[in-house]
Amino acid sequence: NAGVTQTPKFRVLKTGQSMTLLCAQDMNHEYMYWYRQDPGMGLRLIHYSVGEGTTAKGEVPDGYNVSRLKKQNFLLGLESAAPSQTSVYFCASRSGLQFFGPGTRLTVL
Amino acid sequence: GEDVEQSLFLSVREGDSSVINCTYTDSSSTYLYWYKQEPGAGLQLLTYIFSNMDMKQDQRLTVLLNKKDKHLSLRIADTQTGDSAIYFCAESLYGGATNKLIFGTGTLLAVQP
């Protein structure tokens, strides 16, 4: 079991560029989540999914879109990146317990 | 509202016990978790406790839950330098289809040799 994996690990974007972060899990979990982590603010929920084909907004959804076309994958998209989206992004999945991926460090210049 | 609070920093000497505290506000929490994050790494689930329990022990880790005061603590016995990390408390809320975790801001544990 690879658990929860995220690609890429690091990325630098210019303001206005777009990108997609990929999260994959091989534990057959229904629930998947995208968080961002910023200094002094803990983890904040961006979007989540309770199953294939479903998505819902979390705490800080603005500027992000998500898709869950396959149960094992949860994609996070930034259509027009802004410096305020510089952060570390964590994906998680859960059945009972929640497990996290290793994170993607994104810098928007 | 949903809120989880932790102190920001704790410094201990190697071999001492560490106690990291957390308070939460939502009485409907079902599970409470402790995660560990080492520098540059993701979050590692350390331990968890179900809300109808008072205590859970797992090797060097002891979790205490005071549901009346909505207070959770993590005690690490015989703290080692490898325990230096940020520790996040999180509560799990079951409501509708959310099943989401609410995280505290994290406590940085610094272990002095």
Side-chain angles (χ1 to χ4, degrees):
Chain A
N1 271 0
V4 182
T5 57
Q6 292 182 233
T7 52
K9 289 187 169 50
F10 303 95
R11 187 71 186 269
V12 178
L13 291 179
K14 293 182 180 177
T15 296
Q17 286 186 314
S18 63
M19 79 162 293
T20 300
L21 282 67
L22 171 64
C23 175
Q25 53 96 2
D26 60 2
M27 297 174 281
N28 203 33
H29 288 170
E30 290 291 340
Y31 298 98
M32 296 187 75
Y33 307 82
W34 275 107
Y35 295 88
R36 59 177 288 172
Q37 184 180 32
D38 302 294
M41 301 188 75
L43 277 81
R44 293 182 292 168
L45 183 63
I46 305 171
H47 286 280
Y48 64 98
S49 168
V50 301
E52 182 178 318
T54 73
T55 63
K57 293 180 181 180
E59 215 182 329
V60 288
D62 294 342
Y64 304 95
N65 57 75
V66 287
S67 64
R68 184 98 181 266
L69 299 178
K70 293 183 180 180
K71 188 176 184 179
Q72 63 267 36
N73 295 337
F74 194 29
L75 279 63
L76 178 71
L78 286 74
E79 290 183 350
S80 179
S84 61
Q85 293 177 304
T86 293
S87 188
V88 181
Y89 292 85
F90 288 101
C91 174
S93 73
R94 70 180 290 176
S95 171
L97 302 176
Q98 187 164 124
F99 295 94
F100 284 81
T104 295
R105 188 171 296 272
L106 175 67
T107 302
V108 183
L109 302 175
Chain B
E2 307 156 352
D3 198 14
V4 178
E5 294 188 354
Q6 300 177 240
S7 54
L8 290 179
F9 182 73
L10 175 66
S11 179
V12 299
R13 289 190 182 275
E14 192 173 16
D16 288 350
S17 292
S18 308
V19 179
I20 302 171
N21 294 302
C22 170
T23 58
Y24 60 98
T25 55
D26 199 309
S27 57
S28 63
S29 298
T30 52
Y31 284 93
L32 294 124
Y33 301 85
W34 285 104
Y35 284 86
K36 176 184 180 183
Q37 185 180 34
E38 296 178 1
L43 277 75
Q44 172 196 352
L45 178 63
L46 268 186
T47 188
Y48 63 96
I49 188 167
F50 190 51
S51 59
N52 68 354
M53 297 169 65
D54 297 324
M55 185 181 88
K56 180 178 179 181
Q57 189 151 3
D58 184 2
Q59 298 181 328
R60 291 191 297 122
L61 305 178
T62 303
V63 179
L64 295 177
L65 175 60
N66 181 329
K67 201 170 179 185
K68 175 175 167 288
D69 295 337
K70 298 191 184 71
H71 182 264
L72 182 75
S73 68
L74 174 70
R75 179 177 180 269
I76 306 173
D78 187 25
T79 312
Q80 304 297 307
T81 54
D83 295 324
S84 293
I86 300 176
Y87 290 81
F88 289 93
C89 166
E91 60 173 341
S92 176
L93 304 179
Y94 284 81
T98 306
N99 289 315
K100 61 182 181 180
L101 294 185
I102 306 296
F103 284 86
T105 53
T107 299
L108 175 61
L109 174 64
V111 182
Q112 311 300 324

